[in-house]
Amino acid sequence: MELIQLTILGSSSAVPTQTRNTSAQFLQFLHHSLLIDCGESSIHRMIRLGLPYDRIEYIFISHLHTDHILGLPGLLSSFALKNRSKPLTIFSPQGLQELLESWIGPTDELPYPLSWQIVDTQKSAVILDKKEFTVETIPLFHRIPTAGYLFREKRKKPNVRKEAIEKFHLSIDQIKAAKNRQPIHDSQGQPIDSQEVIVEPPPPRSYAYCSDTMYAPSVAEKVKGVNLLYHEATYLDELKDLAQARGHATALEAAQIAQQAQAGKLLLGHFSTRYKDVQSFETEAQTVFANTVAVEDGDVYDI
Ligand SMILES: [Zn+2]
Ligand SMILES: [Zn+2]
């Protein structure tokens, strides 16, 4: 199977700690290198982990809090210093371009084409439609406009069995029809059972990034059936009121979202620095959703 692999670059909330950077993730999605959020020192983390950061084609920014964007000026400037020519597209809520340009100057003067795409944080939409995958926004509920992102592999066409081609003397047109899952008939005009003709590829895979957000059942609805779900869990449930007041979620709430969504696996991150050990996040979430991991920076997850 082709690679879909997530690397955690930062899993701390507002400020970095000795072992955790602020939010960022590198997502190798089939043949594409993607970056999700770009907290401080993301570039350094990618270099240390040996990730091909110069191949990043798309950057997805959830919101304009500094713990999700402070690594961008350095990253964009380093691309320029390394004479990048490959185009780059940045998706984000409104206001990022102005903010970035106040730091690094007009971005249309960079040596590589940079395209800014503003996402609507109020309603879900497909913002990127490639041959092999799509990216949709997930409206999130935070103190400022925030979007999550849902990455979906497209359903592949089935393979046509060699034996079936020989047995039924299938023509090129019939093979094409079978690949498009259309009914086909033998020389007597009798329908041929599709299971005899085609082999379905593995089901398409998906990943959802939901940070920062307070608990919202609509998020579960949007990410229904996702293979891997990253949901922020800034606090434990004992600080549920504080979480809500600050537009964040607890480990238990993240688990409830994973359970409602019937996700395959839940990753927790964006931990408040008040917690030295995050094992309790995992334990709390697992009372509701067993397949939960509290992530560490540098963790790699294959989908
Ligand atoms: Zn944050
Ligand atoms: Zn935030």
Side-chain angles (χ1 to χ4, degrees):
M1 237 183 336
E2 286 166 298
L3 193 67
I4 300 184
Q5 188 176 69
L6 178 75
T7 305
I8 308 296
L9 304 175
S11 57
S12 181
S13 63
V15 286
T17 68
Q18 215 170 23
T19 55
R20 294 180 194 275
N21 275 354
T22 50
S23 292
Q25 302 186 346
F26 182 88
L27 179 62
Q28 187 61 45
F29 207 97
L30 307 168
H31 304 298
H32 301 272
S33 300
L34 318 174
L35 183 68
I36 309 166
D37 278 339
C38 190
E40 205 176 334
S41 306
S42 296
I43 185 169
H44 187 228
R45 188 66 98 195
M46 289 189 277
I47 292 167
R48 284 185 62 179
L49 293 168
L51 291 165
Y53 73 93
D54 45 350
R55 286 197 214 137
I56 292 169
E57 290 166 74
Y58 300 101
I59 300 177
F60 301 88
I61 298 294
S62 62
H63 64 301
L64 304 194
H65 279 155
T66 52
D67 57 320
H68 298 253
I69 59 168
L70 267 188
L72 271 178
L75 183 67
L76 299 186
S77 303
S78 73
F79 285 154
L81 292 167
K82 290 184 82 178
N83 291 320
R84 178 186 174 116
S85 56
K86 196 182 173 73
L88 177 69
T89 303
I90 301 179
F91 295 89
S92 108
Q94 189 145 26
L96 184 62
Q97 181 178 0
E98 296 76 3
L99 203 56
L100 257 293
E101 291 190 340
S102 70
W103 290 331
I104 64 169
T107 47
D108 57 3
E109 289 173 13
L110 289 168
Y112 54 92
L114 174 56
S115 155
W116 296 94
Q117 301 291 329
I118 295 170
V119 302
D120 182 347
T121 59
Q122 301 285 315
K123 60 178 201 299
S124 178
V126 175
I127 51 163
L128 187 63
D129 189 350
K130 303 290 287 182
K131 188 168 160 253
E132 302 166 295
F133 73 105
T134 58
V135 184
E136 291 160 63
T137 48
I138 307 164
L140 296 180
F141 302 88
H142 193 40
R143 303 197 301 279
I144 60 171
T146 304
Y149 294 98
L150 175 57
F151 303 83
R152 280 186 202 278
E153 184 180 24
K154 282 188 180 171
R155 191 181 181 206
K156 289 199 187 84
K157 289 191 171 179
N159 289 318
V160 178
R161 294 177 200 271
K162 241 194 198 143
E163 318 85 77
I165 297 174
E166 285 161 16
K167 182 174 168 190
F168 300 109
H169 307 290
L170 298 182
S171 67
I172 302 284
D173 283 346
Q174 280 177 307
I175 294 171
K176 262 192 208 161
K179 270 195 141 333
N180 288 319
R181 300 185 176 87
Q182 290 160 355
I184 54 168
H185 300 83
D186 65 16
S187 50
Q188 266 80 52
Q190 293 301 311
I192 307 173
D193 182 1
S194 66
Q195 293 208 355
E196 263 202 89
V197 180
I198 57 174
V199 186
E200 284 293 345
R205 295 162 287 170
S206 53
Y207 171 60
Y209 176 83
C210 300
S211 186
D212 299 353
T213 187
M214 60 173 82
Y215 169 81
S218 62
V219 171
E221 211 45 56
K222 181 64 213 160
V223 303
K224 200 119 205 151
V226 75
N227 296 105
L228 184 65
L229 168 66
Y230 175 91
H231 195 289
E232 75 127 281
T234 309
Y235 304 104
L236 289 172
D237 216 53
E238 63 196 17
L239 294 179
K240 193 175 171 169
D241 294 343
L242 180 66
Q244 201 165 12
R246 294 190 178 168
H248 289 299
T250 68
L252 193 71
E253 290 172 331
Q256 286 164 347
I257 296 296
Q259 191 214 25
Q260 289 158 24
Q262 293 174 292
K265 185 187 184 91
L266 171 65
L267 303 180
L268 302 175
H270 200 269
F271 305 116
S272 162
T273 52
R274 72 174 64 212
Y275 303 98
K276 296 285 162 276
D277 175 17
V278 300
Q279 179 57 47
S280 45
F281 282 75
E282 220 169 83
T283 311
E284 180 174 289
Q286 282 170 346
T287 60
V288 170
F289 190 81
N291 197 6
T292 301
V293 176
V295 303
E296 300 291 336
D297 288 17
D299 278 1
V300 177
Y301 300 93
D302 285 304
I303 302 173

